[in-house]
Amino acid sequence: MSQDRPSATELIRTVREFLGELRSRLEGADQYNTLVASYVLGIVEREITLAPALNQQERDEIAAFLNASGTLPELQRKLSENIRAGHHDDDWQRVLDLVMAQVVNKVRVVKPESLDPMHSGSRDKGGRN
Amino acid sequence: MADSSAETSRTGGELERLRSAIRRRFGAAAEIGNVVFPTLGGSNVTIVFDVVERTARRRLVSRQESYAGENNPFIPSWMQFRVMQLAYANKVPVPEPIFEYEPADQMGSGYVTAFVEGETLPNRVLRSPDFAEARARIVGQFGETFARLHSIDIAPIGFLEKTPDSIDPIVAQRDRMDAYGEDHPALELGFRWLERNRPAPSPRRLLHGDFRTGNLMIARDGLRAVLDWECCHIGSAAEDLGWLCTRSWRFGLNDRPVGGFGKREELLSAYAAAGGEKIEIEQVRYWEVFGLVRWAVINIMQAHGHVFGGRRSLSWAACGRNVSLMEYELLMTLAGRFD
């Protein structure tokens, strides 16, 4: 489907900037909720930009680790079950690194400034941070 | 915090019922005044008010349970009230429990306690000059408070032994998470680590279960009262100390693990000096890992609106996404990169 400009991310950014201006004219719970709303829109904006490439990469990494195939949700399910059953106890460092990479991706979308300096360099794929 | 106009229509009937409930206990001449409905805060309906009898005036707090579905992690009001009475009798700093609601009050499940003056907001208590004196002594007060709490004979509150968190706190969190059918490999790693590193059994104590910066009423001279007794259970003393030291409530002061106020060593010394059992730092660290897992699970629940009854809310939506931040802290802790 082709769409006209502004793009989805541009639309979200416009709403987010509006909320940023609105906030200074509000008080109390309304002001706080406007802040949370901006925070949530920032997440959506980053997710639209970053998710497609990150999802693909994650799927490939988990598939390689498990030597299995499937969609990303299916692979996440299998990985979770395996960890709980103790199948990766002897491979602890590798599974920790694998899951850490996934969580770093999640944090890149949710709140990139929370990342420790060891993780906060931007990746080649997925656009701006 | 003032009552917003949107609340007034809802609260008209409620104030009438509150007045009746007060008169039932304080006499027909009792009046209520200075009513405030705090807009920040947790899962209950809270009303702060004065009760006035002739010339005597006292400020009280009413708490009513709001709707919560299955998988409710909180203990019922009557259990909270009993535990608070026991704690109060044993000189643990807790708001004085005054009375419980009965069916005739038509206020649902809940109770009324004394109002304690002070501040709970983490940013204020951790950073404002007003609380510098409090900060200098509060870790010591935490140690004493825990020692007193954990020394209470649990025989009168045997009902608490049957809650999921008393039976096995790790299984309790995992069961709560499983109810939502989501996949969280990071939390699976946390649970696996907790299972494989279970500490040796230790004496069973009364635990507060949610003793953290944000639930503590603090004044210039230090700790005045511990609030929010909804998560009490029986278990290892170190679990309570570990929860206070969990990274999630250091509020950026990560080199002060004890709620953003100070060092683990100071807490353990004060605990021991006040008669608490010997606890090693590694035990506290174990329960900090547990704390990160448990806090992540609570946020998963909040995102589903489950604890608070199915209403949409921006804050709870954000909670769901914030789970990733807790997972990050958990994995960095397991990897030995965060202390």
Side-chain angles (χ1 to χ4, degrees):
Chain A
M1 176 190 75
S2 55
Q3 279 289 7
D4 299 331
R5 296 289 293 273
S7 67
T9 44
E10 284 164 351
L11 288 174
I12 291 169
R13 183 150 151 217
T14 304
V15 174
R16 191 164 55 75
E17 284 170 1
F18 164 70
L19 287 175
E21 288 164 41
L22 180 63
R23 213 172 94 226
S24 55
R25 301 199 285 276
L26 299 171
E27 292 173 350
D30 286 338
Q31 187 186 61
Y32 176 72
N33 281 326
T34 310
L35 181 62
V36 179
S38 296
Y39 177 74
V40 167
L41 287 178
I43 293 172
V44 177
E45 206 179 313
R46 283 186 293 276
E47 181 162 328
I48 291 176
T49 309
L50 299 175
L54 291 181
N55 284 346
Q56 182 61 48
Q57 182 177 18
E58 212 165 277
R59 201 219 72 90
D60 293 344
E61 282 174 3
I62 304 176
F65 178 81
L66 292 176
N67 197 21
S69 59
T71 62
L72 182 54
E74 286 166 350
L75 290 166
Q76 290 280 38
R77 169 62 50 100
K78 181 123 189 60
L79 178 62
S80 299
E81 287 170 353
N82 279 8
I83 293 170
R84 187 178 293 202
H87 295 330
H88 300 301
D89 286 351
D90 294 335
D91 220 2
W92 186 255
Q93 193 54 55
R94 273 189 70 218
V95 72
L96 188 56
D97 288 345
L98 176 78
V99 178
M100 176 73 85
Q102 291 168 35
V103 171
V104 166
N105 285 346
K106 286 209 265 189
V107 176
R108 255 191 240 295
V109 167
V110 171
K111 197 176 181 193
E113 62 269 31
S114 295
L115 289 170
D116 185 84
M118 69 179 285
H119 292 125
S120 59
S122 51
R123 314 259 304 236
D124 287 336
K125 309 176 183 76
R128 60 189 171 80
N129 220 346
Chain B
M1 274 155 287
D3 179 20
S4 75
S5 56
E7 300 225 337
T8 316
S9 51
R10 170 178 80 80
T11 59
E14 207 142 30
L15 285 184
E16 275 312 307
R17 290 194 297 278
L18 178 64
R19 186 177 286 111
S20 299
I22 289 295
R23 285 179 173 162
R24 240 172 237 120
R25 279 99 178 159
F26 289 82
E31 232 345 307
I32 63 175
N34 287 339
V35 180
V36 167
F37 292 81
T39 49
L40 291 177
S43 56
N44 296 282
V45 175
T46 305
I47 312 171
V48 186
F49 61 100
D50 288 348
V51 59
V52 188
E53 303 169 86
R54 294 187 214 100
T55 54
R57 181 181 285 265
R58 193 173 184 194
R59 198 146 182 77
L60 303 180
V61 182
S62 160
R63 285 175 61 123
Q64 297 163 263
E65 274 178 42
S66 56
Y67 169 82
E70 327 126 36
N71 221 21
N72 180 5
F74 303 139
I75 62 175
S77 294
W78 70 267
M79 285 193 192
Q80 296 173 37
F81 195 78
R82 293 277 167 287
V83 175
M84 290 175 78
Q85 284 178 314
L86 194 57
Y88 188 76
N90 281 272
K91 306 216 178 335
V92 172
V94 50
E96 183 189 347
I98 308 291
F99 69 86
E100 285 181 84
Y101 286 123
E102 289 158 8
D105 297 314
Q106 294 186 283
M107 295 287 275
S109 297
Y111 49 83
V112 173
T113 68
F115 174 78
V116 177
E117 194 77 58
E119 179 62 80
T120 59
L121 286 177
N123 248 343
R124 292 258 307 140
V125 299
L126 287 171
R127 296 176 199 273
S128 164
D130 293 346
F131 296 96
E133 188 194 325
R135 285 194 292 273
R137 61 168 71 127
I138 205 164
V139 176
Q141 291 177 320
F142 290 159
E144 285 163 29
T145 301
F146 275 138
R148 223 179 265 271
L149 177 68
H150 296 165
S151 72
I152 292 174
D153 178 11
I154 59 177
I157 46 169
F159 52 77
L160 218 49
E161 287 273 21
K162 301 191 185 87
T163 66
D165 295 278
S166 295
I167 294 168
D168 186 334
I170 292 154
V171 169
Q173 310 319 318
R174 200 169 56 214
D175 287 347
R176 285 180 186 123
M177 182 180 76
D178 285 348
Y180 299 96
E182 299 181 358
D183 292 313
H184 287 270
L187 299 183
E188 294 297 341
L189 287 174
F191 280 120
R192 189 68 191 152
W193 187 90
L194 290 167
E195 282 283 14
R196 299 187 74 207
N197 290 281
R198 277 189 186 268
S202 60
R204 292 182 72 67
R205 312 284 188 201
L206 169 59
L207 306 181
H208 178 273
D210 200 10
F211 193 115
R212 58 182 164 98
T213 306
N215 283 344
L216 307 175
M217 190 61 86
I218 296 172
R220 286 182 170 275
D221 57 353
L223 179 66
R224 281 281 175 85
V226 185
L227 310 177
D228 292 335
W229 292 72
E230 307 160 303
C231 299
C232 297
H233 57 287
I234 308 292
S236 301
E239 188 193 328
D240 251 355
L241 277 67
W243 183 248
L244 175 59
C245 296
T246 299
R247 197 180 174 90
S248 308
W249 21 92
R250 298 179 197 169
F251 297 98
L253 300 162
N254 291 319
D255 59 342
R256 289 178 217 165
V258 184
F261 289 105
K263 301 288 193 188
R264 295 178 186 94
E265 290 83 346
E266 195 192 337
L267 178 64
L268 291 175
S269 294
Y271 185 71
E277 68 191 64
K278 178 91 176 73
I279 294 177
E280 303 294 336
I281 281 191
E282 286 316 302
Q283 289 172 260
V284 179
R285 286 211 168 87
Y286 175 88
W287 291 107
E288 289 175 37
V289 171
F290 170 79
L292 286 167
V293 173
R294 178 182 167 209
W295 184 229
V297 172
I298 288 170
N299 276 265
I300 291 170
M301 300 176 78
Q302 287 177 332
H304 284 262
H306 208 104
V307 175
F308 305 110
R311 284 168 37 211
R312 282 188 187 281
S313 131
L314 278 165
S315 295
W316 302 339
C319 283
R321 290 304 187 108
N322 288 346
V323 172
S324 61
L325 308 181
M326 291 143 216
E327 289 178 338
Y328 183 67
E329 292 187 320
L330 169 66
L331 295 185
M332 289 294 270
T333 303
L334 289 179
R337 296 210 174 259
F338 282 174
D339 175 25

